Amino acid sequence: ARGFDTRIVVLTSSSHRLAAEELFVPHKTKYHQNEDWTVLANFSVPSNYEYFVAYSRSKLSNILWAQEVAQIVNSSSISVITVHPGLVFTDITASLPVAMQIGQLFTFPVLALLMKPKTVGARSTLHAALSPEFSAPLSTVPYLENCLPVPDHTEYYDFHSVLAARKLLWAASVDYATISVAKAREEED
């Protein structure tokens, strides 16, 4: 990446704050031990799967993973940026259970007023990828909402738990990628 303006843009959501408060804010959390945030690296689907809890946790995981990547590369030529594109009209709800999809029909008229088309939703991602404002070196991992940097609030969470969670997520992603590559090679043979 030497000599180039290389960027890693990671999509997330403002819903990451729900998971962060659940897992890292000591006075709000229902968890009592620092180890309980390990649910972020559990990629299996439990029987008590809650869609919106899982979604917010995955978006928090994206932010923590991006922060760990930035720490690992620690580079003057690579920027890592996290982006919340806003409420974008996509087919993400197509995989929800039928009962939830029916419920969505009733809320759709209101949501449609708030949702952006995909082309508008892509603006924050493109801004992060192309704006000179985010050229390396950066002192932190910016978090963008609607093309504007805003605090991701991770500085307010239990630092040691957040740091451990970042490292756990990185290790889990490396393990997952290694397994995926090995499976792909086996299928080629």
Side-chain angles (χ1 to χ4, degrees):
R2 193 173 305 153
F4 294 98
D5 183 13
T6 305
R7 300 180 192 194
I8 301 170
V9 179
V10 179
L11 288 182
T12 186
S13 166
S14 61
S15 73
H16 79 273
R17 293 183 185 106
L18 300 173
E21 287 193 11
E22 169 198 15
L23 298 171
F24 294 121
V25 179
H27 67 279
K28 292 186 178 181
T29 184
K30 62 183 177 183
Y31 299 103
H32 301 290
Q33 298 176 346
N34 288 344
E35 302 295 312
D36 289 334
W37 42 257
T38 59
V39 297
L40 292 173
N42 181 1
F43 301 127
S44 62
V45 179
S47 59
N48 62 344
Y49 184 78
E50 298 176 47
Y51 294 95
F52 300 109
V53 170
Y55 181 79
S56 65
R57 286 178 179 174
S58 73
K59 299 311 171 186
L60 174 62
S61 295
N62 288 357
I63 289 176
L64 298 175
W65 183 88
Q67 291 172 345
E68 188 63 15
V69 168
Q71 179 70 34
I72 289 168
V73 298
N74 191 16
S75 173
S76 61
S77 60
I78 299 174
S79 300
V80 181
I81 305 123
T82 55
V83 175
H84 166 57
L87 189 57
V88 180
F89 186 74
T90 65
D91 61 354
I92 189 170
T93 58
S95 62
L96 293 175
V98 173
M100 292 179 89
Q101 289 182 25
I102 291 170
Q104 182 186 9
L105 291 175
F106 295 106
T107 60
F108 181 76
V110 174
L111 286 176
L113 296 172
L114 303 172
M115 296 176 98
K116 304 173 185 176
K118 293 174 192 174
T119 53
V120 174
R123 288 181 185 163
S124 285
T125 305
L126 292 171
H127 181 66
L130 302 172
S131 174
E133 177 182 2
F134 303 109
S135 295
L138 298 174
S139 59
T140 62
V141 176
Y143 171 75
L144 304 184
E145 287 186 11
N146 298 314
C147 298
L148 299 172
V150 297
D152 67 10
H153 303 289
T154 54
E155 70 273 12
Y156 300 120
Y157 309 141
D158 177 58
F159 175 75
H160 296 292
S161 294
V162 170
L163 187 61
R166 284 173 31 185
K167 294 189 178 313
L168 177 73
L169 286 163
W170 176 255
S173 66
V174 168
D175 288 347
Y176 188 74
T178 302
I179 291 168
S180 297
V181 169
K183 284 184 181 180
R185 287 185 179 154
E186 285 176 11
E187 291 173 4
E188 287 177 357
D189 293 337

